[in-house]
C-alpha cells in the first residue's frame, strides 16, 4: 500500500507524541495557539491508521454551526489529497480510504450523538458544553472500543473543562498512563509575536489576559461576584480562635429534600467559617432532628433556614428547640433585600456579604465543591441599578450540582450580626440574642 501523506507540518510535535501514547488528554492553550489545526490533524491521522471495521471518529464543538465554521474547512483541506475520499456536506462527514468515517457534531444536539460508538473524538471549547454530553453520552460511546478523547479549550473559570484538567493533572501525577494534562500559556509558545502579546497585555483587563493568554483557571470574568483568588486566599488563612470567640455563632441551613441536592449546616463565628455538615436524602423530620442535635451541641445565637424547601424543618425546630438563647430565622432567598435600593433580592444581598466578608479576612474550610460554588456566579444590574445574581439554574448547569454549600454559608449573612461586646454587660444583657439589633 502506498504511503499516504497529510499536508501538515506539526508546530508542536511533542504534543502529538503525547496524544499518540495517551488515551485521554486535556489540552489547555492560549488563543491563537492553533488548537483546531492540531486537533483536526491528530484526528485525521488516527482515522487513517485505524484498522478496525467501520472506524468512527468525531469532532464536537459546543454548537454544530460553530464546529462547522471552525473545523469543517480544515478537515476537508487536509483530507483533500487523500485518494478515494467521500465528502458529505449535509452530514458534515468524510469517509477515508480505509473506511473510517469522520464527522462534525454539535454538543447542542446531544441526541445526534446517542447510540453511536467512537474510536477517537475531539471535544473543542469544553467549557461551553453541558457536562452530561461527556459523562452520559460520549464516555459510554468510547467504552466498547477503547476509544480516545482529546479535550481542547481556553479557561473560562470553574466548569467541566477546569474539572477535567485538574483531574487529569492529578491522575497524571499519580502515574496513571491513560491521562495527561497539558497547558500552553502564551509565554511558553511562539504562536504570537512578542510585540502583539505586549499589546494585548496592555489593552486587556488583567482577568481577561490571564484567562485567555496565560491559561489561568483562577482568573475570573470581570462580572464574577467572588473570584477564585479570593476563595483560595480565604482557604489558606490560618484559624484565629481568639478573634472568633468575640462573635456569636450563627448557623446557616440550606434544606434539600431528596434528589441530588444536599442539605447543609454551615457554622460561622465572625471571620471564621467551620467545616459544614452535609446530609443527603434525609427527610424533613430527620433534618430537623439532626439540626436540633447541632443546636444542642454548639449553642448558636441564631439559626437561619432557607424557606424554600425548609418550611417543614423550620416548624419542627421551632416546636422542639429547648435553648431559649437560639433564634430561628426563616429566610426566603427571593424576598426583598434588607437594603432594597442596592440589591435585587435577599439572595444577591447575602452573596455580596460573603464577598465583603472574604475581603475583610474571612477564613474558609478547604473544600473543592465550596471553592467551585463560590467562584462561579456572575452578576449584573437591573434597570434600577440594583445588583442581581445569576439564576441558580444557570449556575447548576455549569457546575453539575446546586450551590448547596455556598447557599448555606450565605444564610449566615441573612441578618445583621454584631460582636458580643456590642451588648450591655450582665445582668442588663438581653437573655436572647437579637440578630436585628441596631448598630452600637
Amino acid at each position: 500500500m502506498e504511503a499516504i501523506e497529510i499536508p501538515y507540518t506539526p508546530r508542536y510535535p511533542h504534543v502529538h507524541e503525547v496524544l499518540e501514547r495517551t488515551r485521554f488528554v486535556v489540552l489547555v492553550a492560549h488563543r491563537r495557539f492553533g488548537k483546531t489545526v492540531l486537533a483536526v490533524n491528530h484526528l485525521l491521522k488516527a482515522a487513517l491508521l485505524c484498522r478496525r471495521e467501520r472506524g468512527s471518529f468525531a469532532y464536537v464543538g459546543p454548537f454544530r454551526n460553530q464546529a462547522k465554521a471552525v473545523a469543517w474547512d480544515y478537515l476537508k483541506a487536509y483530507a483533500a489529497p487523500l485518494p478515494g475520499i467521500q465528502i458529505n456536506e449535509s452530514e458534515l462527514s468524510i469517509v477515508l480510504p480505509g473506511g473510517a468515517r469522520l464527522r462534525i457534531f454539535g454538543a447542542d444536539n446531544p441526541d445526534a450523538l446517542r447510540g453511536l460508538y467512537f474510536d477517537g473524538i475531539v471535544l473543542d471549547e469544553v467549557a461551553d458544553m453541558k457536562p452530561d454530553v461527556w459523562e452520559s453520552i460520549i464516555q459510554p460511546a468510547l467504552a466498547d472500543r477503547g476509544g480516545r478523547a482529546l479535550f481542547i479549550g481556553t479557561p473560562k473559570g470553574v466548569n467541566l473543562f477546569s474539572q477535567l484538567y485538574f483531574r487529569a493533572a492529578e491522575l497524571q501525577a499519580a502515574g496513571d498512563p491513560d491521562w495527561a494534562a497539558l497547558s500552553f500559556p502564551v509565554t511558553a509558545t511562539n504562536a504570537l509575536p512578542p510585540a502583539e502579546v505586549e499589546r494585548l497585555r496592555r489593552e486587556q483587563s488583567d482577568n481577561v489576559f490571564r484567562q485567555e493568554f496565560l491559561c489561568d483557571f483562577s482568573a475570573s470574568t470581570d462580572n464574577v461576584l467572588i473570584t477564585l483568588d479570593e476563595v483560595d486566599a480565604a482557604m489558606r488563612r490560618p484559624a484565629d480562635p481568639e478573634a472568633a470567640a468575640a462573635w456569636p455563632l450563627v448557623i446557616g441551613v440550606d434544606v434539600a429534600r431528596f434528589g441530588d441536592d444536599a442539605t447543609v449546616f454551615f457554622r460561622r463565628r465572625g471571620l471564621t467559617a467551620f467545616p459544614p455538615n452535609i446530609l443527603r436524602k434525609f427527610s424533613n423530620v430527620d433534618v430537623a432532628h439532626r439540626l436540633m442535635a447541632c443546636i444542642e451541641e454548639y449553642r448558636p445565637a441564631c439559626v437561619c433556614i432557607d424557606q424554600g424547601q425548609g418550611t417543614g424543618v423550620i416548624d419542627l425546630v421551632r416546636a422542639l428547640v429547648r435553648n431559649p438563647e437560639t433564634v430561628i430565622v426563616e429566610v426566603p432567598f427571593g424576598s426583598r433585600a434588607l437594603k432594597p435600593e442596592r440589591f435585587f433580592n435577599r439572595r444577591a444581598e447575602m452573596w455580596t456579604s460573603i464577598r465583603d466578608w472574604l475581603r475583610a479576612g474571612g477564613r474558609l474550610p478547604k473544600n473543592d465543591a465550596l471553592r467551585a460554588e463560590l467562584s462561579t456566579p456572575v452578576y449584573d444590574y437591573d434597570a434600577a441599578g440594583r445588583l442581581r445574581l445569576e439564576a441558580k439554574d444557570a449556575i447548576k448547569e455549569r457546575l453539575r450540582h446546586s450551590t448547596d454549600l455556598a447557599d448555606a454559608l450565605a444564610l449566615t449573612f441573612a441578618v445583621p450580626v454584631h460582636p458580643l461586646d456590642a451588648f450591655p454587660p450582665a445582668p442588663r444583657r438581653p437573655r436572647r440574642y437579637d440578630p436585628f439589633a441596631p448598630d452600637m
Side-chain angles (χ1 to χ4, degrees):
M1 180 178 178
E2 288 187 26
I4 297 176
E5 183 175 343
I6 302 172
Y8 164 67
T9 301
R11 183 188 290 178
Y12 311 102
H14 54 296
V15 175
H16 288 283
E17 292 172 6
V18 174
L19 295 177
E20 290 178 7
R21 68 171 182 262
T22 311
R23 186 178 179 191
F24 303 111
V25 178
V26 185
L27 172 61
V28 182
H30 66 83
R31 296 295 178 195
R32 310 311 304 163
F33 170 85
K35 298 183 291 293
T36 303
V37 170
L38 180 150
V40 162
N41 280 282
H42 164 70
L43 201 63
L44 188 56
K45 179 180 178 181
L48 283 168
L49 295 177
C50 181
R51 294 294 175 261
R52 290 181 171 175
E53 187 176 0
R54 296 185 300 276
S56 178
F57 297 81
Y59 188 103
V60 183
F63 302 94
R64 186 174 187 269
N65 286 342
Q66 178 188 7
K68 177 183 178 182
V70 168
W72 181 235
D73 285 344
Y74 281 133
L75 187 57
K76 289 190 295 181
Y78 287 109
L82 305 179
I85 63 171
Q86 302 171 37
I87 297 177
N88 188 318
E89 289 284 350
S90 62
E91 288 187 355
L92 299 184
S93 70
I94 298 178
V95 178
L96 299 178
R101 180 189 299 269
L102 291 89
R103 291 187 63 183
I104 301 288
F105 291 94
D108 57 326
N109 182 17
D111 289 340
L113 293 159
R114 294 185 190 277
L116 304 180
Y117 65 87
F118 296 109
D119 297 288
I121 198 163
V122 171
L123 289 89
D124 190 3
E125 298 295 353
V126 185
D128 293 326
M129 295 183 186
K130 293 181 178 180
D132 283 352
V133 173
W134 163 243
E135 294 180 345
S136 303
I137 299 174
I138 293 177
Q139 276 217 69
L142 296 171
D144 55 341
R145 290 165 69 112
R148 295 171 171 247
L150 168 61
F151 309 87
I152 60 176
T154 301
K156 283 189 176 181
V158 178
N159 46 49
L160 173 63
F161 191 43
S162 64
Q163 291 167 359
L164 283 167
Y165 176 77
F166 290 120
R167 179 62 175 157
E170 181 182 333
L171 291 170
Q172 183 179 16
D176 190 327
D178 282 343
W179 283 88
L182 303 175
S183 178
F184 290 92
V186 72
T187 52
T189 74
N190 296 316
L192 294 175
E196 186 65 10
V197 174
E198 287 308 309
R199 182 191 68 79
L200 291 165
R201 192 192 300 271
R202 287 193 310 269
E203 296 184 7
Q204 293 185 316
S205 70
D206 180 61
N207 280 335
V208 170
F209 186 79
R210 285 170 56 196
Q211 177 176 276
E212 300 291 319
F213 291 96
L214 297 184
C215 299
D216 186 353
F217 281 105
S218 68
S220 303
T221 57
D222 291 333
N223 66 331
V224 72
L225 184 70
I226 299 170
T227 69
L228 266 174
D229 288 344
E230 289 171 328
V231 176
D232 286 341
M235 290 184 176
R236 289 194 300 266
R237 291 185 186 115
D240 188 347
E242 185 176 342
W247 290 81
L249 179 69
V250 181
I251 299 179
V253 180
D254 186 59
V255 180
R257 195 164 184 269
F258 304 117
D260 295 330
D261 297 344
T263 292
V264 180
F265 305 161
F266 222 128
R267 293 173 291 121
R268 183 177 66 84
R269 192 185 287 275
L271 287 175
T272 299
F274 301 95
N277 302 90
I278 303 171
L279 311 176
R280 295 188 184 277
K281 303 188 184 303
F282 276 62
S283 69
N284 279 347
V285 174
D286 292 332
V287 169
H289 283 289
R290 290 294 185 100
L291 182 54
M292 285 303 305
C294 187
I295 291 172
E296 288 296 317
E297 180 178 359
Y298 295 108
R299 316 293 289 185
C302 181
V303 178
C304 298
I305 307 176
D306 170 31
Q307 183 192 64
Q309 294 291 333
T311 51
V313 174
I314 294 167
D315 292 341
L316 286 166
V317 171
R318 280 179 171 162
L320 296 171
V321 69
R322 294 185 294 273
N323 178 15
E325 296 181 356
T326 298
V327 177
I328 306 299
V329 180
E330 185 173 344
V331 183
F333 269 74
S335 65
R336 177 183 171 90
L338 300 180
K339 297 178 180 177
E341 72 283 358
R342 290 185 55 198
F343 301 102
F344 179 73
N345 58 16
R346 198 82 168 271
R347 174 171 169 259
E349 186 173 46
M350 291 188 295
W351 273 75
T352 303
S353 295
I354 298 178
R355 182 196 65 186
D356 296 343
W357 175 79
L358 291 172
R359 292 177 180 178
R363 299 171 184 85
L364 290 170
K366 291 183 179 179
N367 184 297
D368 288 340
L370 177 64
R371 180 177 183 265
E373 290 177 20
L374 286 173
S375 58
T376 294
V378 297
Y379 69 94
D380 62 5
Y381 292 94
D382 69 0
R386 298 174 301 177
L387 187 144
R388 177 173 55 193
L389 198 63
E390 182 182 12
K392 292 186 71 169
D393 287 346
I395 300 169
K396 185 174 182 177
E397 187 172 304
R398 299 206 306 280
L399 277 179
R400 295 182 294 172
H401 60 83
S402 293
T403 53
D404 303 315
L405 292 164
D407 284 336
L409 177 62
L411 283 161
T412 68
F413 296 91
V415 294
V417 176
H418 306 282
L420 293 173
D421 61 9
F423 294 93
R428 290 178 294 155
R429 177 179 297 172
R431 186 159 172 251
R432 178 183 283 217
Y433 172 70
D434 181 3
F436 293 101
D439 291 335
M440 299 183 183

